[in-house]
PDB file of all heavy atoms in Angstrom:
ATOM      1  N   ALA A 130       8.530  -6.919 -11.430  1.00  0.00           N
ATOM      2  CA  ALA A 130       9.821  -6.784 -10.731  1.00  0.00           C
ATOM      3  C   ALA A 130      10.845  -7.789 -11.232  1.00  0.00           C
ATOM      4  O   ALA A 130      11.732  -8.208 -10.493  1.00  0.00           O
ATOM      5  CB  ALA A 130       9.594  -6.945  -9.228  1.00  0.00           C
ATOM      6  N   LYS A 131      10.725  -8.151 -12.500  1.00  0.00           N
ATOM      7  CA  LYS A 131      11.637  -9.190 -13.004  1.00  0.00           C
ATOM      8  C   LYS A 131      13.020  -8.630 -13.322  1.00  0.00           C
ATOM      9  O   LYS A 131      14.026  -9.273 -13.086  1.00  0.00           O
ATOM     10  CB  LYS A 131      11.043  -9.853 -14.249  1.00  0.00           C
ATOM     11  CG  LYS A 131       9.774 -10.634 -13.912  1.00  0.00           C
ATOM     12  CD  LYS A 131       9.474 -11.730 -14.924  1.00  0.00           C
ATOM     13  CE  LYS A 131       8.376 -12.632 -14.420  1.00  0.00           C
ATOM     14  NZ  LYS A 131       7.064 -12.356 -14.973  1.00  0.00           N
ATOM     15  N   ARG A 132      13.053  -7.396 -13.873  1.00  0.00           N
ATOM     16  CA  ARG A 132      14.352  -6.835 -14.272  1.00  0.00           C
ATOM     17  C   ARG A 132      14.630  -5.560 -13.493  1.00  0.00           C
ATOM     18  O   ARG A 132      13.754  -4.704 -13.331  1.00  0.00           O
ATOM     19  CB  ARG A 132      14.334  -6.520 -15.770  1.00  0.00           C
ATOM     20  CG  ARG A 132      14.122  -7.797 -16.612  1.00  0.00           C
ATOM     21  CD  ARG A 132      14.240  -7.527 -18.077  1.00  0.00           C
ATOM     22  NE  ARG A 132      13.556  -6.283 -18.461  1.00  0.00           N
ATOM     23  CZ  ARG A 132      13.767  -5.642 -19.601  1.00  0.00           C
ATOM     24  NH1 ARG A 132      14.623  -6.098 -20.472  1.00  0.00           N
ATOM     25  NH2 ARG A 132      13.107  -4.527 -19.883  1.00  0.00           N
ATOM     26  N   LYS A 133      15.881  -5.436 -13.061  1.00  0.00           N
ATOM     27  CA  LYS A 133      16.227  -4.287 -12.217  1.00  0.00           C
ATOM     28  C   LYS A 133      15.982  -2.967 -12.945  1.00  0.00           C
ATOM     29  O   LYS A 133      15.481  -2.005 -12.351  1.00  0.00           O
ATOM     30  CB  LYS A 133      17.677  -4.378 -11.750  1.00  0.00           C
ATOM     31  CG  LYS A 133      17.979  -3.289 -10.739  1.00  0.00           C
ATOM     32  CD  LYS A 133      19.269  -3.454 -10.002  1.00  0.00           C
ATOM     33  CE  LYS A 133      19.403  -2.330  -8.985  1.00  0.00           C
ATOM     34  NZ  LYS A 133      20.705  -2.272  -8.375  1.00  0.00           N
ATOM     35  N   GLU A 134      16.286  -2.927 -14.254  1.00  0.00           N
ATOM     36  CA  GLU A 134      16.123  -1.642 -14.959  1.00  0.00           C
ATOM     37  C   GLU A 134      14.644  -1.200 -14.982  1.00  0.00           C
ATOM     38  O   GLU A 134      14.351  -0.006 -14.901  1.00  0.00           O
ATOM     39  CB  GLU A 134      16.727  -1.660 -16.364  1.00  0.00           C
ATOM     40  CG  GLU A 134      16.196  -2.742 -17.293  1.00  0.00           C
ATOM     41  CD  GLU A 134      17.098  -3.970 -17.336  1.00  0.00           C
ATOM     42  OE1 GLU A 134      17.558  -4.413 -16.263  1.00  0.00           O
ATOM     43  OE2 GLU A 134      17.331  -4.481 -18.446  1.00  0.00           O
ATOM     44  N   ASP A 135      13.726  -2.173 -15.044  1.00  0.00           N
ATOM     45  CA  ASP A 135      12.294  -1.820 -15.008  1.00  0.00           C
ATOM     46  C   ASP A 135      11.904  -1.285 -13.630  1.00  0.00           C
ATOM     47  O   ASP A 135      11.129  -0.328 -13.507  1.00  0.00           O
ATOM     48  CB  ASP A 135      11.426  -3.060 -15.300  1.00  0.00           C
ATOM     49  CG  ASP A 135      11.650  -3.580 -16.704  1.00  0.00           C
ATOM     50  OD1 ASP A 135      12.130  -2.815 -17.553  1.00  0.00           O
ATOM     51  OD2 ASP A 135      11.381  -4.780 -16.942  1.00  0.00           O
ATOM     52  N   VAL A 136      12.465  -1.915 -12.622  1.00  0.00           N
ATOM     53  CA  VAL A 136      12.151  -1.502 -11.241  1.00  0.00           C
ATOM     54  C   VAL A 136      12.662  -0.084 -10.988  1.00  0.00           C
ATOM     55  O   VAL A 136      11.949   0.761 -10.436  1.00  0.00           O
ATOM     56  CB  VAL A 136      12.769  -2.511 -10.228  1.00  0.00           C
ATOM     57  CG1 VAL A 136      12.761  -1.957  -8.818  1.00  0.00           C
ATOM     58  CG2 VAL A 136      11.996  -3.824 -10.290  1.00  0.00           C
ATOM     59  N   VAL A 137      13.876   0.198 -11.438  1.00  0.00           N
ATOM     60  CA  VAL A 137      14.466   1.533 -11.235  1.00  0.00           C
ATOM     61  C   VAL A 137      13.591   2.596 -11.921  1.00  0.00           C
ATOM     62  O   VAL A 137      13.264   3.634 -11.332  1.00  0.00           O
ATOM     63  CB  VAL A 137      15.914   1.564 -11.796  1.00  0.00           C
ATOM     64  CG1 VAL A 137      16.482   2.978 -11.783  1.00  0.00           C
ATOM     65  CG2 VAL A 137      16.814   0.620 -11.003  1.00  0.00           C
ATOM     66  N   LYS A 138      13.182   2.279 -13.145  1.00  0.00           N
ATOM     67  CA  LYS A 138      12.379   3.238 -13.916  1.00  0.00           C
ATOM     68  C   LYS A 138      11.033   3.500 -13.220  1.00  0.00           C
ATOM     69  O   LYS A 138      10.641   4.644 -12.997  1.00  0.00           O
ATOM     70  CB  LYS A 138      12.166   2.670 -15.328  1.00  0.00           C
ATOM     71  CG  LYS A 138      11.485   3.596 -16.287  1.00  0.00           C
ATOM     72  CD  LYS A 138      11.627   3.053 -17.716  1.00  0.00           C
ATOM     73  CE  LYS A 138      10.811   3.866 -18.697  1.00  0.00           C
ATOM     74  NZ  LYS A 138       9.397   3.516 -18.729  1.00  0.00           N
ATOM     75  N   LEU A 139      10.366   2.399 -12.843  1.00  0.00           N
ATOM     76  CA  LEU A 139       9.057   2.531 -12.186  1.00  0.00           C
ATOM     77  C   LEU A 139       9.166   3.300 -10.877  1.00  0.00           C
ATOM     78  O   LEU A 139       8.331   4.139 -10.562  1.00  0.00           O
ATOM     79  CB  LEU A 139       8.503   1.139 -11.850  1.00  0.00           C
ATOM     80  CG  LEU A 139       7.642   0.400 -12.857  1.00  0.00           C
ATOM     81  CD1 LEU A 139       7.107  -0.877 -12.227  1.00  0.00           C
ATOM     82  CD2 LEU A 139       6.483   1.282 -13.322  1.00  0.00           C
ATOM     83  N   TYR A 140      10.230   2.992 -10.134  1.00  0.00           N
ATOM     84  CA  TYR A 140      10.434   3.634  -8.823  1.00  0.00           C
ATOM     85  C   TYR A 140      10.503   5.154  -8.997  1.00  0.00           C
ATOM     86  O   TYR A 140       9.828   5.898  -8.285  1.00  0.00           O
ATOM     87  CB  TYR A 140      11.735   3.094  -8.214  1.00  0.00           C
ATOM     88  CG  TYR A 140      12.081   3.654  -6.849  1.00  0.00           C
ATOM     89  CD1 TYR A 140      11.647   3.023  -5.688  1.00  0.00           C
ATOM     90  CD2 TYR A 140      12.861   4.792  -6.725  1.00  0.00           C
ATOM     91  CE1 TYR A 140      11.975   3.517  -4.435  1.00  0.00           C
ATOM     92  CE2 TYR A 140      13.201   5.295  -5.473  1.00  0.00           C
ATOM     93  CZ  TYR A 140      12.762   4.662  -4.332  1.00  0.00           C
ATOM     94  OH  TYR A 140      13.090   5.158  -3.099  1.00  0.00           O
ATOM     95  N   HIS A 141      11.299   5.599  -9.971  1.00  0.00           N
ATOM     96  CA  HIS A 141      11.448   7.049 -10.164  1.00  0.00           C
ATOM     97  C   HIS A 141      10.180   7.681 -10.723  1.00  0.00           C
ATOM     98  O   HIS A 141       9.807   8.789 -10.342  1.00  0.00           O
ATOM     99  CB  HIS A 141      12.664   7.350 -11.041  1.00  0.00           C
ATOM    100  CG  HIS A 141      13.955   7.028 -10.328  1.00  0.00           C
ATOM    101  ND1 HIS A 141      14.326   7.651  -9.162  1.00  0.00           N
ATOM    102  CD2 HIS A 141      14.923   6.128 -10.589  1.00  0.00           C
ATOM    103  CE1 HIS A 141      15.484   7.161  -8.739  1.00  0.00           C
ATOM    104  NE2 HIS A 141      15.867   6.218  -9.587  1.00  0.00           N
ATOM    105  N   GLU A 142       9.498   6.956 -11.603  1.00  0.00           N
ATOM    106  CA  GLU A 142       8.236   7.490 -12.156  1.00  0.00           C
ATOM    107  C   GLU A 142       7.180   7.649 -11.064  1.00  0.00           C
ATOM    108  O   GLU A 142       6.415   8.607 -11.050  1.00  0.00           O
ATOM    109  CB  GLU A 142       7.661   6.492 -13.172  1.00  0.00           C
ATOM    110  CG  GLU A 142       8.211   6.633 -14.560  1.00  0.00           C
ATOM    111  CD  GLU A 142       7.762   5.475 -15.462  1.00  0.00           C
ATOM    112  OE1 GLU A 142       6.832   4.701 -15.097  1.00  0.00           O
ATOM    113  OE2 GLU A 142       8.373   5.341 -16.515  1.00  0.00           O
ATOM    114  N   ARG A 143       7.146   6.668 -10.166  1.00  0.00           N
ATOM    115  CA  ARG A 143       6.048   6.655  -9.188  1.00  0.00           C
ATOM    116  C   ARG A 143       6.289   7.492  -7.939  1.00  0.00           C
ATOM    117  O   ARG A 143       5.326   7.869  -7.259  1.00  0.00           O
ATOM    118  CB  ARG A 143       5.775   5.218  -8.755  1.00  0.00           C
ATOM    119  CG  ARG A 143       5.100   4.423  -9.835  1.00  0.00           C
ATOM    120  CD  ARG A 143       4.854   3.039  -9.328  1.00  0.00           C
ATOM    121  NE  ARG A 143       4.223   2.166 -10.313  1.00  0.00           N
ATOM    122  CZ  ARG A 143       4.030   0.884 -10.108  1.00  0.00           C
ATOM    123  NH1 ARG A 143       4.439   0.325  -8.966  1.00  0.00           N
ATOM    124  NH2 ARG A 143       3.452   0.153 -11.025  1.00  0.00           N
ATOM    125  N   LYS A 144       7.539   7.745  -7.634  1.00  0.00           N
ATOM    126  CA  LYS A 144       7.835   8.438  -6.367  1.00  0.00           C
ATOM    127  C   LYS A 144       6.993   9.712  -6.169  1.00  0.00           C
ATOM    128  O   LYS A 144       6.372   9.892  -5.113  1.00  0.00           O
ATOM    129  CB  LYS A 144       9.330   8.750  -6.289  1.00  0.00           C
ATOM    130  CG  LYS A 144       9.740   9.387  -5.002  1.00  0.00           C
ATOM    131  CD  LYS A 144      10.599   8.496  -4.178  1.00  0.00           C
ATOM    132  CE  LYS A 144      10.998   9.221  -2.913  1.00  0.00           C
ATOM    133  NZ  LYS A 144      12.023   8.546  -2.187  1.00  0.00           N
ATOM    134  N   PRO A 145       6.918  10.602  -7.198  1.00  0.00           N
ATOM    135  CA  PRO A 145       6.101  11.807  -6.987  1.00  0.00           C
ATOM    136  C   PRO A 145       4.618  11.500  -6.786  1.00  0.00           C
ATOM    137  O   PRO A 145       3.898  12.289  -6.171  1.00  0.00           O
ATOM    138  CB  PRO A 145       6.314  12.633  -8.268  1.00  0.00           C
ATOM    139  CG  PRO A 145       7.109  11.809  -9.199  1.00  0.00           C
ATOM    140  CD  PRO A 145       7.592  10.586  -8.496  1.00  0.00           C
ATOM    141  N   LEU A 146       4.180  10.354  -7.291  1.00  0.00           N
ATOM    142  CA  LEU A 146       2.760   9.985  -7.112  1.00  0.00           C
ATOM    143  C   LEU A 146       2.515   9.519  -5.676  1.00  0.00           C
ATOM    144  O   LEU A 146       1.507   9.844  -5.053  1.00  0.00           O
ATOM    145  CB  LEU A 146       2.363   8.889  -8.108  1.00  0.00           C
ATOM    146  CG  LEU A 146       2.666   9.177  -9.583  1.00  0.00           C
ATOM    147  CD1 LEU A 146       2.185   8.026 -10.463  1.00  0.00           C
ATOM    148  CD2 LEU A 146       1.982  10.483 -10.019  1.00  0.00           C
ATOM    149  N   TYR A 147       3.473   8.743  -5.142  1.00  0.00           N
ATOM    150  CA  TYR A 147       3.352   8.296  -3.745  1.00  0.00           C
ATOM    151  C   TYR A 147       3.376   9.495  -2.789  1.00  0.00           C
ATOM    152  O   TYR A 147       2.773   9.466  -1.725  1.00  0.00           O
ATOM    153  CB  TYR A 147       4.500   7.354  -3.369  1.00  0.00           C
ATOM    154  CG  TYR A 147       4.513   6.024  -4.089  1.00  0.00           C
ATOM    155  CD1 TYR A 147       5.678   5.548  -4.682  1.00  0.00           C
ATOM    156  CD2 TYR A 147       3.374   5.219  -4.152  1.00  0.00           C
ATOM    157  CE1 TYR A 147       5.716   4.319  -5.328  1.00  0.00           C
ATOM    158  CE2 TYR A 147       3.407   3.995  -4.801  1.00  0.00           C
ATOM    159  CZ  TYR A 147       4.571   3.550  -5.384  1.00  0.00           C
ATOM    160  OH  TYR A 147       4.609   2.336  -6.025  1.00  0.00           O
TER     161      TYR A 147
END
Side-chain angles (χ1 to χ4, degrees):
K131 294 203 169 100
R132 298 186 317 163
K133 187 168 183 190
E134 57 263 44
D135 296 339
V136 166
V137 172
K138 186 167 173 279
L139 270 186
Y140 181 91
H141 291 299
E142 275 171 13
R143 287 181 181 174
K144 183 112 179 191
L146 307 181
Y147 294 131

